[in-house]
Amino acid sequence: MNANTQSGSMGTRARAAALASGRAFVLALVCLPEAILCYTAAVVSIALVPAVGVGLFTTPWALTWVRSFADRRRALAAKWCGIRIPSAYRPVPEDAKPWARTTAMLQDPATWRDLRWLLVDMTAGYLTALLPAALVLYAVEGFALAAGMWRVYRDATGDTYWYGFVPVTGQASAFGAAALACVLLVLGYLHAPRLLANHFRLTRAVLSPTQAELAERVRVLTETRRDAVDTSAAELRRIERDLHDGAQARLVAMGMDLGTVEMLVDKNPEKAKELLAQARQSSAEALSELRDLVRGIHPPVLAERGLGDAVRALALRLPVATEVSVDIDGGRADAPVESAAYFAVSEVLTNAVKHSGADRIWVDLRHSDGSLRISVTDNGRGGAAIGAGSGLAGIERRLGTFDGVLAVGSPAGGPTMVTMEIPCVLS
């Protein structure tokens, strides 16, 4: 290794040490107060749930703050040290009622893991974040003492200034402090990035989901995959049945009519014309059925113009006045997600038209915080429930394939609100 390469390597390492020290200082200075505030707000809010009921409304807000704080720490771990910390929060519909959100979040093991992590972050986590910063910053103080700062302290107080284990009483002892500062600086140069990484490893050890949670996650994924396979098989059987009983039968009949026309065209032209008209009608009906079949597989408007316009087109075909609001900026979701969302909305609208007795329906689609959120509200008689023969259980299984969730609010007398949420990114 030549001198230039070695010098460059030392410079790179020095910059990495200085950067790690600065980042550690930010963590120690900024994150500790927020960790204390998050923990206090969450614990007080949870305590108020059974006491006076106020916690039902404040707990979702407090726990969302905790999750946001933990997610920011995950992002810093990945960005600064390349340490990936998995997130395993159970999805909660944004439009769910406060008591439902509170119950769902308190039943999530990740919530209690976050609270344990806050305790660790305020103690051991704070020390592991402070150490790489202290090695460099405390070394700067030692050099300042050697430069004459010890005189300022002695003249102001008359006491001996202790720098670590070195009593600074004069210039000679100040040089001793500088020697200790050199040792600390070398330690920071060698170990500051590693010490910062240890802080995030501690965070990962506390925040990572347990094996039981991972096993539950595998079980859920297995079930949703099986449901997806069953749904796909049923869809294929439906397509085959529709082709056999519809378009295929019409095309066969049309072929037979054309064969008869060939025999009658010279002998009985009038009858041949009648059969030709019948064949033309059969071909139009077969074409219409094929179009409906294709639309049922993947609507062309969905492929060409996206989910928002596809739902608007769907609403225009309904016999009930339907308003559609779309707020999806920044691109489109993956095709399977759009398809699942479209058919879920289609089935919810069909249920509303058939069973609710509503005369108005409102559909709201929006994308925020990494999730596609859809709500369908009608002013009908209410009483809808998952598993009550309304088809909502099938929609829930369809969404579950994509880690989506379904929430239904439908008191007797209405109104009914069906909320769907699917985690996804736009491209």
Side-chain angles (χ1 to χ4, degrees):
M1 181 183 296
N2 58 43
N4 289 335
T5 303
Q6 186 174 6
S7 176
S9 177
M10 293 178 63
T12 300
R13 189 162 189 172
R15 285 191 295 271
L19 186 60
S21 176
R23 288 170 171 174
F25 180 73
V26 171
L27 280 175
L29 185 67
V30 177
C31 293
L32 177 62
E34 186 172 0
I36 295 173
L37 289 174
C38 280
Y39 185 79
T40 303
V43 170
V44 171
S45 184
I46 293 172
L48 290 176
V49 171
V52 293
V54 177
L56 287 174
F57 300 92
T58 59
T59 296
W61 170 82
L63 293 181
T64 300
W65 183 15
V66 171
R67 292 184 177 190
S68 174
F69 181 55
D71 283 339
R72 277 185 275 127
R73 189 63 61 85
R74 291 184 177 96
L76 289 179
K79 182 178 180 180
W80 289 355
C81 296
I83 296 176
R84 306 289 176 180
I85 304 176
S87 176
Y89 299 117
R90 296 175 181 173
V92 180
E94 193 70 24
D95 297 329
K97 295 185 180 299
W99 64 267
R101 287 179 58 81
T102 298
T103 301
M105 296 179 87
L106 291 180
Q107 289 177 344
D108 190 348
T111 296
W112 305 102
R113 186 168 54 246
D114 284 350
L115 294 178
R116 288 194 299 270
W117 166 72
L118 287 175
L119 286 175
V120 173
D121 194 57
M122 289 184 288
T123 53
Y126 175 73
L127 294 177
T128 56
L130 185 63
L131 185 56
L135 287 175
V136 176
L137 296 178
Y138 199 46
V140 172
E141 181 183 349
F143 294 130
L145 288 172
M149 287 296 295
W150 65 273
R151 292 189 180 90
V152 177
Y153 180 82
R154 186 194 61 184
D155 294 342
T157 65
D159 296 331
T160 300
Y161 188 91
W162 285 86
Y163 180 76
F165 55 82
V166 178
V168 180
T169 57
Q171 190 62 48
S173 55
F175 285 137
L180 177 57
C182 287
V183 174
L184 295 177
L185 195 62
V186 170
L187 290 175
Y189 169 80
L190 294 175
H191 301 295
R194 190 180 308 165
L195 291 173
L196 181 62
N198 286 339
H199 167 82
F200 289 117
R201 290 191 184 98
L202 175 64
T203 301
R204 181 176 60 185
V206 182
L207 277 183
S208 294
T210 63
Q211 290 297 321
E213 290 177 79
L214 293 175
E216 174 65 14
R217 175 68 174 157
V218 170
R219 185 190 67 79
V220 172
L221 289 175
T222 301
E223 288 185 358
T224 56
R225 183 181 63 181
R226 183 174 62 248
D227 291 337
V229 171
D230 293 343
T231 301
S232 298
E235 189 72 6
L236 288 174
R237 289 193 297 271
R238 180 190 69 81
I239 293 170
E240 182 181 18
R241 183 178 63 252
D242 290 347
L243 283 172
H244 182 273
D245 297 341
Q248 179 179 328
R250 293 188 184 279
L251 290 173
V252 170
M254 185 174 66
M256 295 174 64
D257 288 342
L258 291 174
T260 305
V261 167
E262 286 180 342
M263 293 185 294
L264 295 177
V265 67
D266 294 327
K267 299 178 181 179
N268 192 347
E270 293 299 324
K271 183 64 175 178
K273 289 181 180 179
E274 181 181 340
L275 290 175
L276 281 174
Q278 183 176 334
R280 183 172 62 251
Q281 180 65 25
S282 295
S283 69
E285 291 176 353
L287 181 60
S288 177
E289 288 181 357
L290 286 173
R291 286 172 175 168
D292 290 340
L293 184 62
V294 170
R295 188 179 296 112
I297 298 172
H298 193 78
V301 67
L302 178 62
E304 295 169 4
R305 303 181 60 182
L307 181 61
D309 286 340
V311 173
R312 288 191 181 101
L314 184 65
L316 290 175
R317 297 197 298 268
L318 296 178
V320 176
T322 304
E323 296 180 14
V324 180
S325 173
V326 179
D327 184 12
I328 304 177
D329 298 324
R332 294 179 55 176
D334 292 339
V337 173
E338 284 193 337
S339 179
Y342 173 84
F343 286 110
V345 172
S346 176
E347 190 161 351
V348 172
L349 290 175
T350 301
N351 287 344
V353 170
K354 287 183 178 179
H355 307 297
S356 71
D359 57 14
R360 288 195 74 83
I361 301 175
W362 297 266
V363 182
D364 182 77
L365 297 91
R366 63 185 63 251
H367 184 275
S368 61
D369 299 330
S371 292
L372 176 65
R373 296 187 177 92
I374 307 170
S375 64
V376 180
T377 307
D378 67 66
N379 62 352
R381 65 177 65 94
I386 299 175
S390 61
L392 294 174
I395 298 175
E396 187 176 42
R397 288 194 299 271
R398 182 192 292 271
L399 299 179
T401 306
F402 302 92
D403 286 341
V405 292
L406 174 73
V408 179
S410 184
T416 295
M417 174 181 280
V418 178
T419 304
M420 295 163 279
E421 184 172 325
I422 308 174
C424 67
V425 295
L426 302 183
S427 60

